[in-house]
Amino acid sequence: MELLGEIVAGRPLYVVAVKEEAQFLDTDLPVLLTGMGKVNAATALATVLGRGPRPSGIVNLGTAGALRPGFMGTHVVGTVLQHDFDGVFLATLTGETYGEPLTLPDGGDVVLATGDSFIADEASRARLAERAALVDMEGYALASVAQLAGVPLRMVKHVSDEAGDGAARTWRESVAECARALADWAAANTPYRS
């Protein structure tokens, strides 16, 4: 976890998993680098929100794998779910519901599946494509923390790969281009920029 800059009440906070995804952000707004995965994302965001002051909103920028052929570009996520958490089974054990999909304010109709597994095989991709268009490793955790803290979250993902065979190689090759697209989106859509 690394916080670049200082969180100021009334201004947004950028949240990005890794520095490669943030490399072209040109702003005086703070940027939180969480590290990859749900635990790192949740821990980092909860830590900075718990310390205060609280930002006016959170803008999560990051890469995502496309689960459907031809799905490309930059997308504002409307719903995020966990693909590696069996809430249905847990409900049969406990009678409690855990891990329901989360709807994001100001989101579009894109569904993002989050899990700690990097999806790089066709069978997993096909299974997830039945429920979502994109896949990442941090989104649900960030949405959950933001919702519990009462801080609005906007989630923006740029497609880096097709979440199938060769996805890891493709991510490494495309992350700079994705970071440029995310920085362009942020410049055009985030208030309070310098």
Side-chain angles (χ1 to χ4, degrees), residues 113-125:
T114 297
D116 281 321
S117 300
F118 187 88
I119 303 302
D121 68 90
E122 297 305 320
S124 296
R125 176 184 180 200

Side-chain angles (χ1 to χ4, degrees), residues 15 19 24 31 34-35 42 47 66 72-73 92 125 137 140 144 146 159 164:
V15 176
K19 65 181 185 254
F24 297 112
V31 177
T34 65
T47 297
M72 301 168 21
T92 65
R125 176 184 180 200
M137 297 176 69
Y140 190 92
S144 182
V159 175

Side-chain angles (χ1 to χ4, degrees), residues 117-184:
S117 300
F118 187 88
I119 303 302
D121 68 90
E122 297 305 320
S124 296
R125 176 184 180 200
R127 179 180 47 79
L128 290 175
E130 295 174 8
R131 298 174 32 194
L134 296 173
V135 63
D136 85 338
M137 297 176 69
E138 298 81 27
Y140 190 92
L142 296 171
S144 182
V145 170
Q147 185 180 69
L148 287 170
V151 180
L153 169 72
R154 196 154 196 212
M155 189 172 294
V156 181
K157 299 296 177 177
H158 189 83
V159 175
S160 58
D161 58 78
E162 291 189 347
D165 296 336
R169 178 185 44 78
T170 304
W171 185 87
R172 283 190 299 275
E173 293 170 355
S174 68
V175 69
E177 178 185 325
C178 294
R180 175 67 67 197
L182 291 165
D184 291 346

Side-chain angles (χ1 to χ4, degrees), residues 14-52:
Y14 286 124
V15 176
V16 183
V18 292
K19 65 181 185 254
E20 291 87 353
E21 295 172 325
Q23 64 185 304
F24 297 112
L25 283 175
D26 181 21
T27 182
D28 65 350
L29 293 174
V31 177
L32 175 63
L33 302 174
T34 65
M36 288 187 178
K38 292 190 301 185
V39 171
N40 287 329
T43 302
L45 185 56
T47 297
V48 299
L49 292 179
R51 275 190 240 169

Side-chain angles (χ1 to χ4, degrees), residues 54-154:
R54 294 227 174 145
S56 60
I58 298 162
V59 180
N60 169 231
L61 302 169
T63 57
L67 295 169
R68 299 177 183 153
F71 204 75
M72 301 168 21
T74 304
H75 304 276
V76 178
V77 174
T79 303
V80 62
L81 57 90
Q82 294 184 87
H83 70 77
D84 62 352
F85 184 85
D86 194 345
V88 174
F89 178 74
L90 291 176
T92 65
L93 292 176
T94 66
E96 299 289 327
T97 302
Y98 298 98
E100 289 292 308
L102 301 174
T103 301
L104 304 176
D106 301 321
D109 58 359
V110 172
V111 177
L112 172 72
T114 297
D116 281 321
S117 300
F118 187 88
I119 303 302
D121 68 90
E122 297 305 320
S124 296
R125 176 184 180 200
R127 179 180 47 79
L128 290 175
E130 295 174 8
R131 298 174 32 194
L134 296 173
V135 63
D136 85 338
M137 297 176 69
E138 298 81 27
Y140 190 92
L142 296 171
S144 182
V145 170
Q147 185 180 69
L148 287 170
V151 180
L153 169 72
R154 196 154 196 212

Side-chain angles (χ1 to χ4, degrees), residues 2-3 13 102 129 184:
E2 182 178 4
L3 178 62
L13 167 68
L102 301 174
D184 291 346

